[in-house]
Amino acid sequence: MGQIFFLNCIFVVIMKPIAVHIFNPWHDMALASFSPNYQPRASAVKMAEDLALLPRWIAEDGDVLLLPDFSACTIVDGQVNSTDFPTPGVSYEFKPWGWDQLIHSQLCSQFPTLELPSIDYLNVVRKLSSRQLAVETLGALHKRNPGVFIGESFFCTDLSSIANLAKKYPRLLMKQLWSSSGKGLRRLDGNFEVPLQNWCARSIQLHGGVVVEPRYERVMDFAMEFIAEKQGVSFCGYSVFLTSDTGKYAGNIIDSEENLERSILKQYGESDNSILQCIKESLIELLSASIAPFYQGPFGVDMMLIRTNEGFVKIHPCVEINLRFNMGQLATKLSSRLLLSGKRGVFRIEYFANPKMLQDRYLLLSSLPGFQLLVPVHQHSCYLAYILMDSETCEEGI
């Protein structure tokens, strides 16, 4: 919608820029490289191709989806229609999954006359996307609320610091400063052996440091989703997600905000939401200062419920901070658009080594009640995105 002003009895309509959504799932790895010439892995390129229409569930009517071949689709009455991508006389706001040098370079090459964020802005996004920000934010949360939460995280710039932590903690997780879910991670159980030392040394030389964390007994993965605007940070919703043993994203629970909060508190062992409110308010204040002045857009803060050695369940309030669109925000949109009152479900993205395996899985799922495909399946598809609106299946994690 545009805004209408009256100037000397002449109607002047100032139109908002058209939002252009782009699914670039290789974003996190592109940040690690931070080169306009970065070559995404074949699996990431395939994911971008197969799931290019996934942002339709984030988009609003009139928005544009830009596909990997730079063809375009427009959302009209909730439906995806092919369209031309006119550049003269039209204002656009590009909204990739995340901003990095590769997507910036591609858009500059394809649309040289359109206004895009500056390289300085990309540098800021990369710096804020470093896992070092999560380390600092976790420390600030502990300082504000001593003894309330669990979780430690260390930014190490030399091998001796990591070796000292290995002596203190029997089980560690080492993370590169930029990497995608389940990648750029190494586990340490016991001795800090030479191959792992070499991996850490290369990571320190390449990125300036490594994040080192104790490994915990995970009870539940969840997140709080936010939007950063110039005036500050605001809360958008909860995300309860599923992960594999290696930490790779596996899916999201689809439910109302009230029920998601209730399920978190149930696992935590409380009915009072005051601790979640405390985390929310603390993060809004902290990140309004550290993020909002420099980055405007969606982001999420991943958290965990952890079982301590004594058997208590406590909250780790800041495992990761993702400065981009994420599947949790997509799940929030799916909840509001697709779920019937009183229903809940699960959102999944699955990968198959060959299209025949995907077709077999699709045939099985499509026979289940509550199944809805989110992105069309083609003859050569290897990625499948869907939801199942079935509370029993959801409880079992499918």
Side-chain angles (χ1 to χ4, degrees), residues 170-198:
R171 301 168 69 245
L172 288 174
L173 183 64
M174 275 153 286
K175 302 177 177 179
Q176 292 180 334
L177 296 191
W178 297 275
S179 67
S180 59
S181 174
K183 297 183 175 65
L185 310 179
R186 292 293 186 275
R187 295 185 176 202
L188 185 150
D189 293 282
N191 296 328
F192 187 32
E193 297 181 347
V194 171
L196 195 50
Q197 292 181 32
N198 292 339

Side-chain angles (χ1 to χ4, degrees), residues 14-62:
I14 301 178
M15 299 302 297
K16 288 175 59 178
I18 297 174
V20 181
H21 303 269
I22 310 163
F23 185 54
N24 55 320
W26 32 257
H27 164 70
D28 291 330
M29 298 307 296
L31 282 181
S33 169
F34 206 57
S35 166
N37 301 314
Y38 170 70
Q39 295 293 320
R41 296 178 180 181
S43 58
V45 172
K46 182 61 175 168
M47 187 178 192
E49 293 172 352
D50 288 356
L51 304 182
L53 296 181
L54 200 57
R56 66 167 291 191
W57 301 106
I58 296 173
E60 299 178 357
D61 265 12

Side-chain angles (χ1 to χ4, degrees), residues 37-251:
N37 301 314
Y38 170 70
Q39 295 293 320
R41 296 178 180 181
S43 58
V45 172
K46 182 61 175 168
M47 187 178 192
E49 293 172 352
D50 288 356
L51 304 182
L53 296 181
L54 200 57
R56 66 167 291 191
W57 301 106
I58 296 173
E60 299 178 357
D61 265 12
D63 288 359
V64 171
L65 306 181
L66 192 62
L67 307 185
D69 63 358
F70 296 102
S71 62
C73 298
T74 302
I75 308 298
V76 180
D77 295 331
Q79 301 301 311
V80 179
N81 298 322
S82 297
T83 186
D84 293 328
F85 193 88
T87 54
V90 181
S91 176
Y92 291 102
E93 180 184 5
F94 286 92
K95 293 186 174 183
W97 200 250
W99 277 112
D100 53 67
Q101 280 216 13
L102 176 57
I103 191 66
H104 188 271
S105 174
Q106 291 174 339
L107 292 173
C108 282
S109 175
Q110 193 71 23
F111 308 109
T113 62
L114 297 184
E115 184 176 349
L116 295 171
S118 67
I119 296 298
D120 287 343
Y121 180 74
L122 299 185
N123 285 324
V124 169
V125 170
R126 183 177 189 257
K127 182 178 180 180
L128 291 174
S129 298
S130 164
R131 286 188 166 111
Q132 187 175 355
L133 177 62
V135 175
E136 295 168 354
T137 303
L138 177 62
L141 286 168
H142 281 309
K143 188 174 181 180
R144 290 170 62 98
N145 308 279
V148 175
F149 311 123
I150 198 170
E152 294 180 278
S153 188
F154 307 91
F155 176 62
C156 299
T157 58
D158 56 74
L159 294 183
S160 61
S161 299
I162 302 173
N164 289 334
L165 290 171
K167 293 174 184 176
K168 183 177 180 180
Y169 301 96
R171 301 168 69 245
L172 288 174
L173 183 64
M174 275 153 286
K175 302 177 177 179
Q176 292 180 334
L177 296 191
W178 297 275
S179 67
S180 59
S181 174
K183 297 183 175 65
L185 310 179
R186 292 293 186 275
R187 295 185 176 202
L188 185 150
D189 293 282
N191 296 328
F192 187 32
E193 297 181 347
V194 171
L196 195 50
Q197 292 181 32
N198 292 339
W199 182 87
C200 290
R202 288 194 300 271
S203 298
I204 291 170
Q205 182 179 21
L206 188 63
H207 297 146
V210 173
V211 170
V212 181
E213 302 172 352
R215 299 210 318 267
Y216 302 99
E217 182 185 345
R218 181 191 298 130
V219 175
M220 175 186 255
D221 291 291
F222 70 103
M224 291 185 184
E225 307 297 344
F226 299 92
I227 184 93
E229 298 172 301
K230 289 184 178 179
Q231 62 267 33
V233 165
S234 56
F235 177 72
C236 295
Y238 292 104
S239 165
V240 175
F241 56 97
L242 312 171
T243 57
S244 67
D245 291 340
T246 60
K248 188 175 182 180
Y249 173 81

